[in-house]
Amino acid sequence: MIESRLAKSLTDAVKTLYNQEVQPEIFQIQKTRPEFDGDLTVVVFPLLRISHKAPEATAKELGQWLTGHLNEIIAFNVIKGFLNLEISDGYWMSFFRRAASDEEFGFAPEKNEPPVVIEYSSPNTNKPLHLGHVRNNLLGWSVAEILKASGKKVFKVNLVNDRGIHICKSMLAWQKWGNGKTPENSGEKGDKLVGDFYVLFDKKYKEQIAELVANGMDEKEAAQKAPLIQEAKAMLVKWEAGDKEIRALWKKMNSWVYTGFDVTYKRMGVDFDKIYYESDTYLLGKALVQEGLEKGVFYKKEDGSVWCDLTDDGLDEKLLLRADGTSVYMTQDLGTAQLRYDDYHPQKLMYVVGNEQNYHFEVLQKILKKLGKSWADGIYHLSYGMVELPHGKMKSREGTVVDADDLMEEMTITARRISEELGKFDDFTPDESKQLYEMIGLGALKYFILKVDPKKTMLFNPEESIDFNGNTGSFIQYTHARIRSVLRKAAASGIDLNERPATELTLEKKEKTLLKVLYDFPQTIIVAAETYSPAQIANYSYELAKEYNQFYHDHSILKEENRAKRNFRLLLSRFTSQVLQSAMGLLGIRLPERM
């Protein structure tokens, strides 16, 4: 890369001009701001203690030295303490000839090092996937693909929360009020059916609490003593004891949910290398709790519950086993972490979980360290902000969540409505239109969610996400279709794009600007991988699409009379199409051939 060559030349310049030895890392090299002439800018201020001269004088001396010793630098200008450097057309053309023929441009080869295990989705089997899960799944899947592109070996895993008191609530409600209802005899999607019974439980439970309070009981006590919650707790104890009838019902209802999840995952375009189930890991967690008791790391209270005291670490006491012997989330997370380490021996165990669980993962890591697990240092919580709607937060128990299936369908319908209003795709067959609306709708959804930095809470508005002119997935898809249209017309005209581009071309400003954006793709992947932020890729894709449209507007392509120029612009268009596909592919977004 030119940046590394420049840094090396700058060390030579400092040695020659000021008789000082410095390391290349000392130099701050960045892209020149658009309002100034130049391609790269060197920040001179850190060098003033070496040069003992004013910023402008130091920058001028370095600029003169570089133009005389580094062929790629053809001109410079100085703005206060900033040295702006212009890179030769020859360098950009050399980059283009090399990169445009590389189908894997931007992607690093896999490194020979321990893998990264990244967990995302983590659904409960008492309800369907909702909008919050959509952000979780899209973020986890995309981060995994970006890490792969940066050279990491990655395993994508899912932990299904298939046991616990919340699962028993759905089961109990189905027992009481289900009347034998199944996905088969009702035509209802399995995860949706089970979720409805979870909501029904909460409704009946609140009615019981209200009745007890009306009869004079304190509300907190009523919440504990309501018959429904007592029955659900009893069911959980039976489940952990292996009661055959309870286990059979649990397996049946979970199977309905898994079938429903698979449909949702397929449409969303996410997948996993391995799926773990809490019902398989909680016993290992219990064994680790027993190990901690024996080591004196944990302690048991008089009621039989087991705790870990983290007050010396600035935290609090953490429950690990209830008094009745049943496990809590932390119990199974301990077991799952151990199992994943045994399976993969990873360099990093990543958890994609909302920021409301920040404390939970801090506690998980500290408890594992107390147990002597050295690999606990590799635990990383990829914390993300919640997704909110114009009308407020979602609540599963009250049935006010936005169902993921409904959301994806709504996005497809919205794409169709907006497209028809704009008069687009009138020449498409019904099947072509259906596929395209799905591509646009889901592309808009994914881009709208992933373009936001993961740490930020976001407000999701479906109407804003489909816009063929703004910073949206639809705009990028439309740009790609425009490029493919140009290339199809070129092929129909008999233009051969297998010719290598001319070696000597004077680049127009917009051609050079577009090449510079394309050049940034590998570094963008690196930054996105280091920050675990698909937003880096999303916003890069937008910048690339925007620059191509400006290039397309300013320069004739097919009607360019100079053959060498015409072919170069066509090859530049094709390269842009390739990079857009690679970048958007890291977000799970498909790009159409025509729109």
Side-chain angles (χ1 to χ4, degrees):
M1 294 181 68
I2 186 62
E3 291 87 348
S4 58
R5 282 179 55 80
L6 176 57
K8 175 64 172 62
S9 292
L10 282 166
T11 62
D12 295 339
V14 170
K15 174 66 175 174
T16 302
L17 295 171
Y18 310 120
N19 197 31
Q20 290 282 330
E21 297 278 357
V22 295
Q23 295 299 314
E25 292 76 18
I26 191 177
F27 300 106
Q28 297 179 27
I29 301 171
Q30 56 199 32
K31 288 189 289 186
T32 302
R33 290 166 57 178
E35 60 264 34
F36 300 119
D37 291 331
D39 300 310
L40 292 175
T41 297
V42 179
V43 182
V44 173
F45 296 109
L47 303 175
L48 301 184
R49 60 182 178 82
I50 296 173
S51 69
H52 302 294
K53 295 184 179 181
E56 292 85 349
T58 303
K60 185 176 180 181
E61 286 182 341
L62 289 171
Q64 290 173 338
W65 194 95
L66 288 169
T67 53
H69 292 82
L70 192 61
N71 292 335
E72 291 88 346
I73 307 300
I74 58 171
F76 74 91
N77 64 82
V78 176
I79 307 292
K80 297 184 178 179
F82 299 92
L83 171 61
N84 301 321
L85 303 168
E86 185 178 343
I87 299 170
S88 69
D89 287 356
Y91 176 82
W92 294 116
M93 288 301 296
S94 176
F95 153 72
F96 174 68
R97 286 192 297 273
R98 181 179 68 254
S101 60
D102 180 6
E103 294 183 357
E104 296 297 315
F105 172 69
F107 291 13
E110 187 177 288
K111 300 168 187 172
N112 184 22
E113 59 183 28
V116 173
V117 174
I118 178 165
E119 174 199 296
Y120 57 94
S121 198
S122 307
N124 295 328
T125 57
N126 64 317
K127 56 190 175 184
L129 301 176
H130 55 61
L131 176 55
H133 288 114
V134 172
R135 188 178 198 187
N136 181 297
N137 278 278
L138 298 182
L139 177 60
W141 187 92
S142 183
V143 168
E145 294 303 310
I146 291 167
L147 289 173
K148 286 182 188 177
S150 74
K152 298 286 188 185
K153 186 177 182 64
V154 179
F155 291 101
K156 298 178 284 189
V157 302
N158 186 1
L159 174 66
V160 178
N161 303 301
D162 65 339
R163 58 161 304 283
I165 191 69
H166 50 296
I167 311 298
C168 291
K169 290 176 180 179
S170 295
M171 291 165 58
L172 186 61
W174 185 86
Q175 274 187 331
K176 288 179 172 293
W177 304 292
N179 297 316
K181 188 176 184 181
T182 70
E184 290 77 19
N185 64 31
S186 68
E188 193 171 355
K189 195 162 172 277
D191 51 339
K192 178 68 173 173
L193 185 151
V194 173
D196 287 344
F197 282 104
Y198 181 65
V199 173
L200 180 60
F201 177 95
D202 190 64
K203 178 185 176 183
K204 299 287 188 180
Y205 176 41
K206 284 179 177 176
E207 289 174 359
Q208 289 186 351
I209 293 173
E211 185 178 346
L212 291 172
V213 170
N215 290 330
M217 188 178 289
D218 174 78
E219 186 171 351
K220 188 174 182 180
E221 183 183 4
Q224 293 292 325
K225 292 189 175 180
L228 269 177
I229 197 67
Q230 290 293 327
E231 287 184 76
K233 288 179 178 179
M235 179 180 280
L236 178 60
V237 172
K238 284 184 177 181
W239 183 93
E240 292 211 6
D243 182 278
K244 290 183 179 180
E245 183 180 340
I246 297 299
R247 287 288 181 121
L249 175 61
W250 168 75
K251 287 180 180 178
K252 178 169 67 174
M253 293 183 69
N254 276 354
S255 71
W256 299 342
V257 175
Y258 298 146
T259 300
F261 282 172
D262 287 345
V263 172
T264 307
Y265 286 138
K266 184 176 181 180
R267 188 174 190 184
M268 200 182 296
V270 302
D271 60 352
F272 309 95
D273 296 303
K274 185 167 184 176
I275 297 179
Y276 292 85
Y277 299 90
E278 284 193 358
S279 55
D280 295 329
T281 64
Y282 84 102
L283 290 176
L284 180 54
K286 281 188 168 184
L288 288 172
V289 171
Q290 183 59 39
E291 178 186 325
L293 278 172
E294 293 170 0
K295 289 181 175 179
V297 175
F298 307 146
Y299 69 96
K300 185 177 289 189
K301 289 188 175 181
E302 290 183 3
D303 64 358
S305 58
V306 179
W307 298 72
C308 180
D309 187 353
L310 296 170
T311 52
D312 289 343
D313 297 286
L315 304 176
D316 59 7
E317 295 179 305
K318 185 65 182 178
L319 175 68
L320 299 177
L321 280 180
R322 299 188 186 92
D324 61 8
T326 57
S327 59
V328 294
Y329 276 122
M330 186 59 68
T331 322
Q332 50 243 22
D333 277 354
L334 290 170
T336 304
Q338 180 68 63
L339 188 56
R340 287 202 191 129
Y341 176 76
D342 294 341
D343 285 345
Y344 298 108
H345 293 281
Q347 59 175 286
K348 193 175 288 291
L349 275 170
M350 293 183 65
Y351 295 84
V352 182
V353 182
N355 56 16
E356 79 279 7
Q357 293 294 326
N358 288 351
Y359 182 76
H360 175 88
F361 286 99
E362 184 181 2
V363 170
L364 173 65
Q365 188 174 50
K366 289 188 180 299
I367 290 176
L368 286 167
K369 284 185 176 182
K370 286 183 176 292
L371 287 169
K373 310 296 182 182
S374 59
W375 46 265
D377 288 325
I379 286 178
Y380 180 82
H381 175 206
L382 179 50
S383 173
Y384 63 88
M386 294 293 96
V387 183
E388 296 182 357
L389 298 161
H391 55 71
K393 294 183 178 180
M394 301 180 294
K395 296 180 181 178
S396 297
R397 286 187 298 273
E398 297 177 10
T400 61
V401 302
V402 175
D403 184 276
D405 297 311
D406 293 342
L407 176 61
M408 289 189 285
E409 186 62 27
E410 179 188 343
M411 292 300 298
T412 302
I413 293 170
T414 302
R416 177 175 183 169
R417 177 177 56 76
I418 292 176
S419 299
E420 289 178 346
E421 288 174 358
L422 295 173
K424 294 182 181 292
F425 323 136
D426 291 339
D427 59 336
F428 279 52
T429 67
D431 282 346
E432 288 174 334
S433 296
K434 183 179 179 181
Q435 291 177 23
L436 192 58
Y437 297 144
E438 179 87 357
M439 197 181 297
I440 293 171
L442 295 189
L445 170 65
K446 292 178 180 183
Y447 188 85
F448 195 90
I449 286 177
L450 292 174
K451 75 176 181 180
V452 179
D453 183 273
K455 294 182 177 61
K456 294 181 179 178
T457 295
M458 65 172 295
L459 182 70
F460 180 73
N461 188 326
E463 291 290 330
E464 292 180 6
S465 67
I466 300 179
D467 182 345
F468 292 99
N469 296 304
N471 182 8
T472 63
S474 310
F475 169 73
I476 297 167
Q477 288 173 322
Y478 187 74
T479 301
H480 179 263
R482 164 177 277 175
I483 297 172
R484 302 309 296 177
S485 175
V486 171
L487 295 175
R488 281 194 300 274
K489 290 176 182 177
S493 301
I495 299 173
D496 182 8
L497 291 184
N498 292 319
E499 295 181 16
R500 285 181 63 80
T503 55
E504 296 297 329
L505 276 179
T506 300
L507 293 172
E508 303 290 346
K509 183 176 181 180
K510 282 300 174 184
E511 293 172 336
K512 186 175 179 180
T513 302
L514 183 55
L515 275 173
K516 286 159 62 176
V517 178
L518 290 162
Y519 175 84
D520 288 338
F521 184 47
Q523 185 60 31
T524 302
I525 290 178
I526 291 171
V527 173
E530 289 174 346
T531 57
Y532 309 122
S533 176
Q536 298 282 342
I537 302 293
N539 290 297
Y540 169 83
S541 301
Y542 173 62
E543 288 301 315
L544 179 56
K546 189 168 63 171
E547 285 299 334
Y548 181 83
N549 279 290
Q550 291 178 6
F551 155 76
Y552 178 87
H553 179 268
D554 288 359
H555 298 295
S556 174
I557 300 178
L558 292 172
K559 293 182 180 180
E560 169 60 50
E561 294 180 359
N562 183 304
R563 175 191 174 97
K565 271 283 188 186
R566 180 200 66 190
N567 287 4
F568 165 67
R569 288 173 182 170
L570 285 168
L571 290 169
L572 183 58
S573 297
R574 187 171 71 181
F575 186 32
T576 302
S577 165
Q578 175 193 323
V579 174
L580 279 176
Q581 286 187 61
S582 295
M584 295 290 273
L586 294 175
L587 307 179
I589 298 173
R590 294 181 295 151
L591 301 184
E593 287 293 306
R594 67 188 189 105
M595 285 177 70

